[in-house]
């Protein structure tokens, strides 16, 4: 665990230094939105999604350098979702990644625009000349990312369902609803990360399917771990306000199954995630380690 955390730190230091170059400040007063975008994206995330893009790409001999633009695009899109999730109309949070949320540091309108800017920039980056893949590969990446992030079974749909679950006390099949929320809200971007590696690497269908299966399993384990951390985590380690799920009456794995069962479920999903990687053998060691980290992390 300590070893993996170290590895992730080395990766994210390098990723962060390259990310800076993607945010040149414009001359005019519109630079405020770019400042807000960069404030949030540079603001200390774990970089799990870029790491996943990179490590799945490396399985197909695509170098970290070549995978970088896609990895950065995904982190931009993920950061947009965090900025908007923190807004008063949604989770209404003051703290994110250990720092004031975007709307607290700037203002609400700027935070909305910064989220919009990052969402749009993600697609600009993937389709740009900086991304050195064929037009065909870039088009597939754009399409997969749009599906993963969007309103038809993607992250936006998951967020809608999540907000709705706060209002509806007595949902009929909570076990089914919570899995659907997770699959879309959290799972789809993690799935895109793995799909992107496979698409850039021109993977066989078998290998593509294995990575999608791995992504689905770590996705659900990730969400369960997040729900557990909301109850058991430490605010100074998590860098955000905890206990909000309960306060907002959210439908969570912990609420539904209790702490012990939820933790056991997360372990089982991680076991299944690793199983899905059998086709890659030892070449997927980094992905095995990442799977373990997902449920052992403290933030
Ligand atoms: C606003 C369209 C829209 C979607 C919001 C991101 C999100 C969807 C909601 C955030 C609420 C939440 C706790 C989701 C659980 C999973 C998640 C995305 C956690 C944050 O991801 P990490 O832990 O964050 O990878 P860092 O900061 O390390 O990048």
């Amino acid at each position: 665990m300590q070893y993996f955390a170290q590895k992730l730190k080395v990766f994210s230091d390098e990723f962060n230094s390259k990310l800076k170059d993607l945010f040149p400040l414009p001359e005019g007063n519109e630079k405020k939105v770019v400042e807000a975008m960069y404030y949030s994206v540079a603001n200390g995330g774990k970089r799990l999604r870029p790491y996943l893009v990179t490590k799945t790409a490396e399985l197909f001999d695509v170098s970290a350098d070549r995978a970088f633009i896609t990895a950065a695009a995904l982190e931009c899109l993920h950061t947009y979702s965090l900025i908007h999730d923190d807004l008063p109309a949604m989770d209404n949070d003051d703290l994110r990644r250990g720092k004031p949320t975007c709307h607290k540091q700037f203002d609400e309108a700027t935070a909305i625009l910064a989220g919009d800017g990052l969402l749009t920039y993600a697609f600009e980056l993937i389709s740009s000349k900086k991304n050195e893949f064929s037009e065909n590969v870039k088009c597939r990446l754009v399409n997969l990312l749009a599906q993963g992030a969007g309103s038809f079974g993607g992250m936006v749909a998951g967020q809608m369902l999540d907000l709705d679950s706060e209002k509806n006390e007595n949902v009929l099949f909570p076990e089914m609803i919570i899995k659907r929320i997770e699959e879309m809200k959290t799972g789809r971007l993690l799935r895109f990360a793995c799909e992107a590696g496979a698409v850039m690497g021109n993977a066989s269908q078998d290998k593509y399917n294995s990575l999608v299966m791995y992504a689905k399993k770590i996705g659900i384990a990730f969400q369960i771990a997040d729900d557990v951390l909301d109850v058991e985590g430490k605010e100074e380690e998590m860098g955000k306000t905890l206990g909000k799920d309960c306060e907002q009456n959210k439908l969570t794995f912990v609420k539904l199954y209790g702490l012990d069962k939820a933790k056991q479920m997360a372990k089982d999903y991680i076991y299944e995630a690793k199983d899905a990687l059998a086709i890659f053998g030892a070449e997927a060691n980094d992905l095995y380690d990442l799977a373990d980290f997902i449920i052992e992390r403290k933030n």
Side-chain angles (χ1 to χ4, degrees):
M1 163 84 169
Q2 199 56 31
Y3 168 73
F4 182 79
Q6 208 66 36
K7 229 172 153 174
L8 192 60
K9 166 94 175 61
V10 171
F11 171 84
S12 54
D13 285 349
E14 204 178 324
F15 178 82
N16 293 344
S17 75
K18 289 202 267 183
L19 195 64
K20 202 169 193 301
D21 296 338
L22 298 179
F23 288 86
L25 273 190
E27 292 279 309
N29 287 346
E30 75 272 24
K31 72 174 177 217
K32 186 173 174 191
V33 73
V34 179
E35 279 166 352
M37 287 160 70
Y38 186 64
Y39 168 79
S40 291
V41 83
N43 209 358
K46 294 183 288 301
R47 310 306 193 205
L48 289 180
R49 292 157 194 79
Y51 187 82
L52 261 180
V53 171
T54 308
K55 293 301 161 186
T56 50
E58 281 178 355
L59 285 174
F60 306 98
D61 295 326
V62 175
S63 69
D65 273 350
R66 262 169 78 75
F68 171 69
I69 293 293
T70 306
L74 178 55
E75 189 64 17
C76 287
L77 198 141
H78 165 61
T79 305
Y80 125 74
S81 78
L82 301 178
I83 295 175
H84 280 195
D85 186 65
D86 290 334
L87 287 169
M90 296 216 191
D91 244 17
N92 193 18
D93 245 308
D94 294 352
L95 206 61
R96 169 69 65 181
R97 294 172 163 175
K99 306 241 170 60
T101 46
C102 194
H103 65 276
K104 285 283 164 190
Q105 181 72 14
F106 295 85
D107 54 68
E108 214 176 312
T110 307
I112 293 171
L113 286 178
D116 295 341
L118 284 166
L119 169 62
T120 316
Y121 196 36
F123 292 101
E124 182 177 336
L125 284 172
I126 286 192
S127 55
S128 73
K129 286 208 170 64
K130 289 189 181 111
N131 202 13
E132 295 167 0
F133 289 91
S134 69
E135 297 305 314
N136 195 26
V137 164
K138 293 198 281 196
C139 199
R140 277 196 72 197
L141 292 172
V142 163
N143 182 263
L144 286 170
L145 184 56
Q147 285 187 58
S151 322
F152 301 92
M155 180 180 66
V156 169
Q159 179 76 348
M160 187 74 256
L161 214 51
D162 193 31
L163 292 175
D164 194 56
S165 82
E166 288 169 27
K167 297 186 196 91
N168 296 320
E169 256 297 289
N170 301 310
V171 280
L172 253 187
F173 301 105
E175 294 86 355
M176 208 177 81
I177 300 285
I178 196 169
K179 277 193 84 175
R180 278 197 74 216
I181 294 176
E182 173 289 317
E183 219 173 284
M184 299 191 285
K185 188 183 80 168
T186 314
R188 286 304 300 266
L189 289 196
L190 293 169
R191 175 171 155 180
F192 172 78
C194 294
E195 287 176 318
V199 167
M200 288 188 283
N202 196 19
S204 66
Q205 195 63 48
D206 276 2
K207 290 187 170 173
Y208 185 94
N209 293 344
S210 301
L211 286 174
V212 168
M213 185 55 71
Y214 167 79
K216 284 184 174 175
K217 303 291 180 183
I218 60 166
I220 186 156
F222 185 92
Q223 184 61 58
I224 298 174
D226 222 67
D227 292 351
V228 170
L229 284 167
D230 192 65
V231 178
E232 287 195 326
K234 295 198 175 74
E235 237 160 52
E236 61 278 16
E237 284 174 332
M238 291 292 284
K240 64 176 187 180
T241 322
L242 296 180
K244 293 201 75 176
D245 292 344
C246 182
E247 190 187 304
Q248 291 171 336
N249 198 27
K250 284 214 170 171
L251 183 58
T252 70
F253 285 92
V254 173
K255 181 176 173 186
L256 208 53
Y257 298 102
L259 266 173
D260 290 344
K261 173 119 193 270
K263 285 184 195 171
Q264 188 53 49
M265 286 168 75
K267 280 189 192 157
D268 294 344
Y269 281 115
I270 289 303
Y271 182 82
E272 291 173 25
K274 291 185 192 169
D275 211 36
L277 295 175
I279 193 169
F280 298 104
E283 292 199 352
N285 277 350
D286 289 333
L287 298 179
Y288 289 105
D289 292 345
L290 173 69
D292 286 328
F293 175 77
I294 277 176
I295 53 168
E296 286 164 19
R297 68 200 163 98
K298 300 276 177 264
N299 74 341

